[in-house]
């Protein structure tokens, strides 16, 4: 049994590559350690294959499929999932839900659109990679984590209140779309009435 087929218990978060601009193989490589399901939007296929990544599903228009039919043989057992130009994110997430995946890393998703993922974040464990930043949602309203001393980003609905406490003290403020905060080393606790996203720099 090849390592690739030891896969599909759907326990590992899938990797869904939407855009490769500003993304390197070194950023994606750690996500592939346990041979997850890999989905790729057609515009990224050439780059992803040049990285030597085994692709499971290519989301593509019918035109792309006709022009690149040889990929089905060259990358067997890859499959095409037919989508229209604008609907590939929604189609890919629906595919993952239908195939009983619990989570997914969205690679190359624009953090400016992250609040649009709120509904899906309640159905799947989502992580977003955008350039040098990784974002993950806090759904339960309260969260605490040990941070080394560095800067994080907080994303949420405009003016959503956030309470933050650490060794520097306590702070309550409205989130202004994307808020950058310097943290001291140690545990920081967060509390907010709605879902919010924490962004951390990716270490490669």
């Amino acid at each position: 049994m090849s390592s690739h087929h030891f896969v599909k218990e759907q326990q590992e978060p899938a990797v869904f590559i939407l855009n490769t601009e500003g993304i390197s193989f070194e950023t994606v490589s750690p996500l592939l350690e346990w041979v997850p399901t890999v989905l790729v939007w057609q515009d990224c296929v050439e780059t992803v294959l040049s990285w030597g990544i085994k692709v499971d599903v290519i989301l593509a228009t019918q035109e792309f499929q006709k022009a690149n039919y040889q990929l089905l043989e060259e990358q067997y057992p890859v499959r095409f999932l037919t989508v229209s130009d604008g609907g590939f994110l929604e189609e890919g997430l629906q595919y993952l839900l239908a195939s009983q995946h619990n989570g997914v890393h969205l690679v190359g998703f624009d953090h400016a659109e992250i609040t649009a993922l709120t509904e899906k974040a309640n159905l799947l464990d989502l992580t977003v990679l955008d350039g040098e930043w990784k974002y993950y949602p806090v759904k339960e309203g309260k969260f605490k984590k040990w941070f080394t001393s560095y800067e994080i980003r907080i994303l949420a609905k405009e003016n959503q209140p956030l309470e933050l406490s650490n060794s520097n003290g306590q702070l309550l403020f409205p989130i202004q779309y994307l808020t950058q905060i310097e943290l001291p080393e140690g545990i920081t606790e967060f509390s907010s009435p709605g879902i919010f996203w924490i962004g951390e720099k990716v270490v490669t």
Side-chain angles (χ1 to χ4, degrees):
M1 185 178 289
S2 74
S3 61
H4 184 69
H5 289 97
F6 123 138
V7 194
K8 315 296 174 197
E9 294 298 318
Q10 276 57 319
Q11 297 306 306
E12 285 305 308
V15 176
F16 187 179
I17 301 174
L18 307 158
N19 190 343
T20 51
E21 192 175 334
I23 299 287
S24 67
F25 174 69
E26 287 70 30
T27 305
V28 178
S29 180
L31 308 179
L32 304 171
E33 187 178 358
W34 296 103
V35 200
T37 300
V38 176
L39 291 78
V40 178
W41 166 233
Q42 64 181 37
D43 292 358
C44 307
V45 167
E46 194 175 332
T47 301
V48 172
L49 293 180
S50 77
W51 289 341
I53 293 175
K54 185 73 188 74
V55 175
D56 296 288
V57 179
I58 298 171
L59 290 97
T61 61
Q62 289 184 330
E63 291 74 22
F64 180 92
Q65 292 177 43
K66 286 174 189 168
N68 295 274
Y69 196 74
Q70 81 285 353
L71 288 173
L72 293 179
E73 191 173 320
E74 290 172 4
Q75 301 298 318
Y76 182 83
V78 74
R79 57 168 295 197
F80 283 128
L81 189 60
T82 303
V83 294
S84 58
D85 258 333
F88 60 93
L89 173 65
E90 180 67 25
E91 286 290 339
L93 293 177
Q94 287 298 343
Y95 171 84
L96 292 171
L97 285 167
S99 52
Q100 299 184 313
H101 284 78
N102 297 319
V104 58
H105 299 288
L106 296 175
V107 177
F109 183 87
D110 184 355
H111 69 272
E113 307 293 328
I114 212 163
T115 53
L117 294 173
T118 297
E119 186 183 326
K120 288 295 187 290
N122 291 317
L123 302 172
L124 285 162
D125 289 328
L126 297 180
T127 307
V128 168
L129 275 91
D130 185 11
E132 298 181 317
W133 290 82
K134 174 182 77 175
Y135 301 87
Y136 51 90
V138 177
K139 309 175 198 179
E140 301 303 322
K142 287 185 184 296
F143 179 71
K144 66 179 179 180
K145 182 178 174 181
W146 176 280
F147 291 90
T148 53
S149 177
Y150 74 157
E151 188 176 67
I152 64 164
R153 293 175 171 180
I154 307 283
L155 289 114
K157 286 189 299 190
E158 193 80 14
N159 294 318
Q160 182 173 314
L162 178 80
E163 188 176 341
L164 181 151
S165 68
N166 52 37
S167 58
N168 284 350
Q170 201 166 27
L171 194 60
L172 178 63
F173 58 93
I175 297 167
Q176 301 300 321
Y177 163 60
L178 186 150
T179 302
Q180 302 211 159
I181 302 168
E182 290 282 348
L183 296 180
E185 184 170 359
I187 289 178
T188 294
E189 294 192 45
F190 305 83
S191 180
S192 184
I195 187 172
F196 61 97
W197 298 72
I198 294 177
E200 298 182 37
K201 270 265 177 92
V202 176
V203 180
T204 55

